[in-house]
Amino acid sequence: MKRTIPWIITIVTGFVLVIAEFVPPWGKMREDVLIYFQIISVFAFFLGGGSLLKINLQKVFSKRTDWEYALVTVVGFFVMLALGLFKLGNPEMATAGYAADLNANGSWFKNLFDAVKAPLSASMYSLLAFFIASASYRAFRAKNSDATVLLVSAFIILMGQTFVGVVATGWMPDWVSFFKVENLSLWLLAKANLAGQRAILIGIALGIVSMSLRVILGIERTHLSGGDE
Amino acid sequence: MADASPIGIFIAGVLTLGIFSFLYKDNPVYKVCEAIFIGVSAAYWAVEYFYSALYKKFWLGVIPPEGSGADPDMWLWGGAILGVLMLCRMIPKINWLSRWPLAFIVGATAGLYMMTFFVSNAMNQIASTMQPLIQDTFLATLGSFTVAIGTVTGLIYFFFSKEHKGIFGGAAKVGIWFLMVTFGASFGYTVMSRMSLLIGRLDFLFSSWATNFGQMF
């Protein structure tokens, strides 16, 4: 029963939504399901947040290695959560109540986002620029034909987007303008890259269709595994 | 950050430097910044989802504001019940109930996306590839041939039911080259996006933050 009912839910939901595609009056059902996804995802976030808190609080109370950083995570989590959920310091609260815009100018939630979340996020990702540089030094050695094609293509795309690349091939006469790096870069993106992208997209689509069929026909049950019987 | 307060700009700059301190080596300042990032980000997305989905879609759907003229949509309770069942995962005795919303999500995703992906990713892409090969100019013709050959050989590479030998193997090899061009282009774009983020942070440090720092102290 613990696995049979969910198995039936999967099959029925899948079948009904595929049929709904061909029955126009059932079209709203597909929209409703998307809203269901959003509602369930909120609870999934609560589950994730709860798990984050549980792990970090356990670390703090048992004074394990680096428990101080776990405490910082918990404090950061609660501060942001309180400012957002209760809309503390939100100038629109007085007039609109809880319907106030969460990101209203001057709200503490937005201020914390601007001063902490946004710069930390951008800095964290920009740090990758340094690691990409060192990784490409190792990866971009033309060891074989495949690696050489990848290297040349990435080099042309990079040069085509920069001032140096444009200047370096700017001297070329018009009759060979196709070989100017900015034109070559555009052609690579619009043709050769497009062909590769299409092959990948078609492959993904066929994979999704076959996997969906396995799920709807009840053959695929891995999502029901784990835990108690 | 244009309308941010001086204290906000100051904090943003300090946190940016804290993250960049990792370039020297792993250190306590970086770890503190990382811990703040994890906590604040998790709470930020929880709050955003709470208000955009639970409040706006569910709550205002089942209890429409007075004067809006909308009828309560009782179907939305189904989503909320499934969501609550998801939380059962935290209670060991009834954690098997959390399989119900999971089963719904898997079944619904299969039902929704099977047709969507088949139409948009497979049929539309195939239709776009099936174009006349001979065009008005040599470059346009070259482009059409490149797209057609690249797509077909790329698909041949992904066909694993037949051994990649002989003509089939040669076509698969050409397919790999086209895929390598695609990966190279993606890599180039990723490098560019990360570099532009880095330039943005350095620009912030040397302009807004430095100016603000001078005014504060």
Side-chain angles (χ1 to χ4, degrees):
Chain A
M1 179 205 162
K2 288 179 181 176
R3 289 185 203 278
T4 311
I5 293 176
W7 181 63
I8 293 168
I9 291 174
T10 306
I11 294 171
V12 170
T13 315
F15 258 117
V16 168
L17 286 171
V18 169
I19 294 166
E21 176 81 14
F22 302 100
V23 184
W26 289 12
K28 191 182 174 296
M29 193 185 289
R30 294 171 71 87
E31 291 164 23
D32 283 345
V33 165
L34 290 174
I35 297 176
Y36 272 34
F37 275 7
Q38 292 179 30
I39 295 170
I40 296 170
S41 67
V42 179
F43 289 92
F45 253 101
F46 289 158
L47 205 62
S51 177
L52 178 84
L53 277 180
K54 188 179 153 191
I55 290 167
N56 281 286
L57 285 173
Q58 276 174 353
K59 210 172 181 180
V60 171
F61 288 122
S62 59
K63 293 264 170 86
R64 265 184 274 157
T65 322
D66 289 346
W67 65 271
E68 301 91 341
Y69 305 118
L71 184 64
V72 173
T73 300
V74 173
V75 172
F77 182 83
F78 276 120
V79 169
M80 195 68 172
L81 197 70
L83 294 187
L85 278 186
F86 305 114
K87 297 194 173 173
L88 300 176
N90 191 318
E92 291 183 11
M93 267 297 269
T95 50
Y98 279 99
D101 180 12
L102 187 62
N103 292 302
N105 266 334
S107 71
W108 292 354
F109 183 73
K110 187 175 187 301
N111 284 346
L112 201 63
F113 174 83
D114 284 342
V116 177
K117 162 96 175 51
L120 276 176
S121 181
S123 306
M124 202 64 104
Y125 285 110
S126 70
L127 206 59
L128 291 179
F130 294 98
F131 298 113
I132 276 185
S134 66
S136 34
Y137 175 73
R138 274 169 294 203
F140 275 14
R141 272 177 287 183
K143 281 183 276 190
N144 52 41
S145 59
D146 302 344
T148 311
V149 174
L150 191 141
L151 166 71
V152 171
S153 131
F155 183 75
I156 292 172
I157 300 289
L158 277 171
M159 292 304 276
Q161 307 283 322
T162 53
F163 176 72
V164 178
V166 176
V167 170
T169 52
W171 55 269
M172 286 184 169
D174 281 348
W175 63 277
V176 284
S177 64
F178 174 74
F179 293 102
K180 284 185 178 178
V181 76
E182 65 271 27
N183 294 336
L184 207 55
S185 157
L186 275 179
W187 188 86
L188 263 184
L189 280 173
K191 304 297 177 190
N193 169 55
L194 177 73
Q197 293 272 15
R198 273 199 184 144
I200 293 170
L201 283 176
I202 294 169
I204 289 173
L206 295 178
I208 286 178
V209 170
S210 60
M211 190 63 184
S212 298
L213 276 174
R214 281 176 63 85
V215 168
I216 293 169
L217 296 175
I219 302 166
E220 184 65 45
R221 301 186 194 192
T222 43
H223 61 287
L224 305 174
S225 59
D228 300 334
E229 276 307 312
Chain B
M1 290 296 291
D3 55 349
S5 63
I7 189 77
I9 293 175
F10 178 74
I11 293 170
V14 170
L15 292 173
T16 302
L17 287 175
I19 293 292
F20 284 164
S21 70
F22 185 75
L23 291 170
Y24 170 61
K25 66 175 185 180
D26 200 3
N27 63 77
V29 178
Y30 170 77
K31 282 182 178 170
V32 168
C33 293
E34 189 186 42
I36 295 172
F37 180 55
I38 295 168
V40 167
S41 293
Y44 174 79
W45 289 113
V47 171
E48 276 285 343
Y49 268 87
F50 177 83
Y51 276 106
S52 66
L54 207 58
Y55 180 72
K56 284 187 182 161
K57 295 273 164 62
F58 170 69
W59 190 249
L60 296 183
V62 294
I63 306 173
E66 281 178 33
S68 68
D71 293 324
D73 189 353
M74 291 305 166
W75 281 105
L76 293 174
W77 278 106
I81 291 167
L82 287 170
V84 172
L85 288 178
M86 181 75 105
L87 297 179
C88 291
R89 186 164 278 264
M90 290 193 286
I91 308 163
K93 274 195 173 177
I94 51 167
N95 64 5
W96 54 273
L97 277 172
S98 67
R99 285 191 195 125
W100 292 19
L102 201 63
F104 174 81
I105 289 173
V106 172
T109 306
L112 277 176
Y113 297 127
M114 188 176 87
M115 299 306 294
T116 313
F117 271 83
F118 187 64
V119 172
S120 65
N121 279 21
M123 299 311 288
N124 286 353
Q125 295 295 334
I126 291 168
S128 306
T129 310
M130 298 289 175
Q131 299 292 331
L133 288 173
I134 307 300
Q135 304 278 344
D136 297 339
T137 62
F138 170 73
L139 273 181
T141 305
L142 180 70
S144 299
F145 269 98
T146 308
V147 172
I149 293 170
T151 308
V152 173
T153 55
L155 283 170
I156 287 175
Y157 171 71
F158 284 125
F159 191 78
F160 297 114
S161 300
K162 184 173 159 58
E163 199 178 350
H164 290 181
K165 274 167 48 179
I167 296 173
F168 193 77
K173 184 73 185 164
V174 175
I176 294 176
W177 289 341
F178 275 96
L179 292 173
M180 285 298 156
V181 171
T182 304
F183 296 144
S186 302
F187 184 84
Y189 264 108
T190 309
V191 171
M192 293 298 290
S193 67
R194 297 293 177 257
M195 287 307 287
S196 65
L197 269 176
L198 178 65
I199 291 165
R201 292 324 294 159
L202 292 177
D203 180 52
F204 165 74
L205 280 178
F206 289 114
S207 55
S208 309
W209 192 68
T211 314
N212 182 62
F213 195 83
Q215 285 168 355
M216 278 184 79
F217 302 101

